[in-house]
Amino acid sequence: MLRTIQAWFRTHYRQITGSIAFLPAFIAVLFAVLASAMYLFDLSDPGMHLKESLQWLHLKDASAARAIATTIAAGIITLTVFSFSMVMIVLNQAASQLSNRVLEQLIENRFQQLVLGTYIGTIVYALFILTTIREGDKGSSIPALSVYLLILIGILDIFLFIYFLHFITQAVRYEVIISKAHAETQRSLEKMCVLEKEPPPAQMNSLSFDIRARHDGVYDGIDLQGMLRSCMEYQCVVGISVLSGAFILKGTPLLHLDRSLPEEAQNKLLDNVLLPRIGSVEDDPALGFRQLTEIGMKALSPGINDPGTASLTLRALFQLFNFRMTHFPETMYRDKEGHLRIMMAHWSFGQIFEGTVLAIWDYGKKDRSILHELKNLLGQLRTDANEVVDMRRRVQAALQEHESE
């Protein structure tokens, strides 16, 4: 039961925390707690003494306090609606001109969630204060400290809105989106590709027993430590031949074992496999390559026709290639005693190169600027990869063909 809960949590954690509503909801709860604490402090002996000591903290009557809270609440609601509208415009523009896959990157941006959460929290705070102010309240019975804190929060919200205008105009720039996709993919590659020499490929021919997937989903890797513990517990060797980012249908062979195991053991092994509905760049660098490729392909489509953006995408891809050609993922994992326990298949450089550059090439091989960009970038990569040599030959032939026209 515990393993099932842990597996569910691993699968849905990023989906929950990455939601655009998660951080704003959490901040709103914090503001509600702050409002309750400030109200209690207002009515406490130290709060009463503070208001009596500092006469400028007094509010004359309840109507003034209610007017302040109402004005701030109405103003922040307007800012919230306007800010949400700008976010929706940015998401719509990114989806229509770049790729639907970059929406997650924009939605998960913590700063915009922080701003929206602060707005919503301010509204919650103001509404709570409004419910505590009664018509007959006078003098120290009015929660003046809470109202003055609300004024300070409202001023902070205005400055946040000014900076948010600058932030949202920068976030929609193509080079910023491409740079973020490149940075996320680079971090994922650095986490996965820890070897400086290419390891031998995993040999799974001896693994003749299969465990089939319990449900559909995108293969997003495994919980390595959990899988190692399970393999040691059942004294088995597990092989995974599917590549990250592959969509797995229910009932498809997912794990390969060296011996047969009871159903309970098979379920425990499957609990360590990450099979969400949507993959993540953090665990799957292939998804990052796919994002950049789709941006480049869409930029070269007749409807967009933006070779400049495609060139930026190619530069980002070749930076990743430069790292991937000299760093390799581990294919075999052993336990503490040195026994082989896990064998995994990974995307080779050739597969990544073919799925990215060749896909963009199909769209841009007749564009002179793309050809020159590819010629320049290919000339800087190592020449010991057959895919690079072949692609370089094709680009040079295309350039000669264009020059002869």
Side-chain angles (χ1 to χ4, degrees), residues 112-130:
Q112 80 180 17
Q113 292 183 13
L114 174 64
V115 172
L116 297 177
T118 304
Y119 291 165
I120 296 173
T122 304
I123 296 170
V124 171
Y125 185 100
L127 294 177
F128 181 88
I129 296 303
L130 277 173

Side-chain angles (χ1 to χ4, degrees), residues 264-302:
E264 180 182 357
Q266 293 183 21
N267 289 330
K268 288 185 178 180
L269 289 172
L270 285 174
D271 287 340
N272 297 301
V273 180
L274 305 180
L275 211 64
R277 287 290 179 181
I278 302 176
S280 66
V281 178
E282 182 179 348
D283 296 317
D284 178 16
L287 179 59
F289 281 103
R290 198 173 300 122
Q291 286 183 356
L292 291 169
T293 302
E294 290 182 359
I295 292 173
M297 292 167 60
K298 197 159 190 176
L300 292 172
S301 64

Side-chain angles (χ1 to χ4, degrees), residues 56-71:
W56 59 272
L57 288 177
H58 271 293
L59 289 173
K60 293 182 180 180
D61 52 40
S63 60
R66 292 181 66 87
I68 292 172
T70 302
T71 302

Side-chain angles (χ1 to χ4, degrees), residues 43 105 122 136 146 159 177 191 216 233 241 346 369 380-381:
L43 301 182
Q105 177 193 123
T122 304
S146 301
F159 283 103
I177 295 175
K191 184 174 69 172
D216 305 333
E233 180 181 354
S241 59
H346 290 286
S369 63
Q380 300 178 59
L381 281 186

